[in-house]
């Protein structure tokens, strides 16, 4: 039976291509499961998972909880706003208190970059990073790459442009690592003020203009090409969070 090379999912930076391939193969199987009339399987039966969110979340938190329950895990949810964190309890103390209830895994979102890595070094449970500051959001990047794989057949050899606020986006960094591990060429595009310094060291291209044909939803938009060539991006011209265009 294949196994991941890591015990934690802290960031895409720390996993191998073989791990991504195994996750995608497993997702292929469970995609068939969720299309059944009964969408529940016993894969995580007798496993207790704590969703520990120090930031507000809707889609990520609900997605994790729904997946966990469909895999038959026992789920407990933690909200910092209604906890002893408000009284000064530290991150490690908070999580250790939760782990004392015989929790096997922690899914955590935290405002501070590196919080998930720090936690993985100080507690015994497996840690899944659901977003740490502007650092990484590995599960979102895996989903993005899986979607490209389903739509275009393979990520390898594709040219991916990540457009928007790259500086403050934790998803952007995870996407860069994922696409590169899967063999894609990555370009980031946005105003210079929203592009991290030295990002070229990650072997990505940097653009501030849209140049060339644009493919959206697998269809070439002929009219878009003329409109976008030479279009200058400013902070006002893009949404706060990044979005992706495939070329």
């Amino acid at each position: 039976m294949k196994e991941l090379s890591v015990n934690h999912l802290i960031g895409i930076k720390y996993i191998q291509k073989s791990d991504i391939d195994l996750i995608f193969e497993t997702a292929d199987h469970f995609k068939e499961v969720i299309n059944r009339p009964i969408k529940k399987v016993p894969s995580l039966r007798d496993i207790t998972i704590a969703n520990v969110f120090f930031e507000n979340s809707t889609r990520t938190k609900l997605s994790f909880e729904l997946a966990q329950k469909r895999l038959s895990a026992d789920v407990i949810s933690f909200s910092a706003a209604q906890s002893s964190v408000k009284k000064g309890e530290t991150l490690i103390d908070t999580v250790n208190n939760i782990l004392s209830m015989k929790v096997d895994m922690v899914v955590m979102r935290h405002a501070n970059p590196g919080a998930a890595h720090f936690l993985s070094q100080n507690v015994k449970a497996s840690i899944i990073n659901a977003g740490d500051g502007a650092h990484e959001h590995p599960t979102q990047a895996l989903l993005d790459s899986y979607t490209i794989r389903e739509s275009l057949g393979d990520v390898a050899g594709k040219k991916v442009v990540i457009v928007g606020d790259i500086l403050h986006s934790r998803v952007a960094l995870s996407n860069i690592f994922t696409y590169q591990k899967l063999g894609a060429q990555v370009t980031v595009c946005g105003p210079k003020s929203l592009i991290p310094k030295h990002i070229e060291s990650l072997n990505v291209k940097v653009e501030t203009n849209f140049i060339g044909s644009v493919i959206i939803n697998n269809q070439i938009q002929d009219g878009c090409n003329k409109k976008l060539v030479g279009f200058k991006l400013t902070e006002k011209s893009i949404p706060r969070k990044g979005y992706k265009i495939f070329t």
Side-chain angles (χ1 to χ4, degrees), residues 32-52:
E32 183 271 326
V33 171
I34 64 172
N35 289 316
R36 298 176 184 173
I38 299 175
K39 302 175 176 62
K40 199 163 186 176
V41 292
S43 302
L44 294 181
R45 187 171 55 193
D46 298 327
I47 299 295
T48 302
I49 303 175
N51 295 321
V52 181

Side-chain angles (χ1 to χ4, degrees), residues 21-86:
D21 291 337
L22 178 57
I23 291 170
F24 286 178
E25 290 171 12
T26 307
D28 288 337
H29 169 69
F30 283 110
K31 184 182 176 185
E32 183 271 326
V33 171
I34 64 172
N35 289 316
R36 298 176 184 173
I38 299 175
K39 302 175 176 62
K40 199 163 186 176
V41 292
S43 302
L44 294 181
R45 187 171 55 193
D46 298 327
I47 299 295
T48 302
I49 303 175
N51 295 321
V52 181
F53 279 66
F54 291 87
E55 287 186 317
N56 293 331
S57 171
T58 300
R59 289 169 299 178
T60 300
K61 188 174 182 179
L62 289 177
S63 295
F64 269 110
E65 187 170 341
L66 183 59
Q68 292 155 1
K69 290 182 176 179
R70 283 178 172 170
L71 295 173
S72 301
D74 295 316
V75 181
I76 59 175
S77 294
F78 167 91
S79 174
Q82 301 170 346
S83 72
S84 295
V85 171
K86 290 294 183 179

Side-chain angles (χ1 to χ4, degrees):
M1 181 178 178
K2 295 181 181 178
E3 293 185 356
L4 296 174
S5 66
V6 292
N7 293 322
H8 311 280
L9 182 56
I10 304 303
I12 302 299
K13 179 180 180 180
Y14 306 104
I15 65 176
Q16 302 174 10
K17 180 181 181 298
S18 59
D19 294 322
I20 299 174
D21 291 337
L22 178 57
I23 291 170
F24 286 178
E25 290 171 12
T26 307
D28 288 337
H29 169 69
F30 283 110
K31 184 182 176 185
E32 183 271 326
V33 171
I34 64 172
N35 289 316
R36 298 176 184 173
I38 299 175
K39 302 175 176 62
K40 199 163 186 176
V41 292
S43 302
L44 294 181
R45 187 171 55 193
D46 298 327
I47 299 295
T48 302
I49 303 175
N51 295 321
V52 181
F53 279 66
F54 291 87
E55 287 186 317
N56 293 331
S57 171
T58 300
R59 289 169 299 178
T60 300
K61 188 174 182 179
L62 289 177
S63 295
F64 269 110
E65 187 170 341
L66 183 59
Q68 292 155 1
K69 290 182 176 179
R70 283 178 172 170
L71 295 173
S72 301
D74 295 316
V75 181
I76 59 175
S77 294
F78 167 91
S79 174
Q82 301 170 346
S83 72
S84 295
V85 171
K86 290 294 183 179
K87 298 187 290 185
E89 188 175 69
T90 66
L91 171 61
I92 292 180
D93 286 342
T94 297
V95 174
N96 277 329
N97 283 333
I98 295 172
L99 294 181
S100 67
M101 303 173 195
K102 305 302 180 183
V103 170
D104 303 291
M105 181 181 296
V106 175
V107 177
M108 185 178 74
R109 170 168 287 186
H110 201 283
N112 292 331
H117 182 270
F118 172 76
L119 196 63
S120 71
Q121 302 298 307
N122 289 278
V123 300
K124 294 181 179 180
S126 296
I127 307 299
I128 295 180
N129 182 10
D132 58 333
H135 181 220
E136 280 215 49
H137 193 342
T139 56
Q140 180 64 60
L142 289 168
L143 179 60
D144 291 343
S145 294
Y146 186 80
T147 301
I148 295 175
R149 174 177 172 266
E150 281 201 316
S151 299
L152 304 182
D154 195 1
V155 180
K158 302 298 184 295
K159 297 179 181 179
V160 183
V161 183
I162 305 175
V163 185
D165 181 357
I166 311 301
L167 180 63
H168 301 98
S169 173
R170 53 186 162 216
V171 180
L173 185 59
S174 290
N175 271 327
I176 289 170
F177 289 141
T178 310
Y179 298 147
Q180 289 180 335
K181 287 179 186 286
L182 295 176
Q185 177 182 316
V186 182
T187 300
V188 296
C189 185
K192 290 183 179 180
S193 59
L194 297 179
I195 299 291
K197 293 181 179 179
H198 313 301
I199 195 170
E200 293 95 339
S201 64
L202 298 179
N203 196 31
V204 302
K205 296 181 179 179
V206 177
E207 293 286 352
T208 57
N209 295 320
F210 286 117
I211 298 178
S213 62
V214 176
I215 299 178
I216 302 175
N217 297 326
N218 280 353
Q219 293 183 348
I220 298 178
Q221 308 295 313
D222 295 327
C224 287
N225 190 30
K226 296 179 181 179
K227 294 179 182 179
L228 294 177
V229 169
F231 175 70
K232 190 72 173 180
L233 283 174
T234 66
E235 291 191 41
K236 293 182 179 180
S237 66
I238 61 173
R240 194 60 181 167
K241 292 186 177 180
Y243 56 91
K244 291 166 285 300
I245 293 179
F246 312 108
T247 65

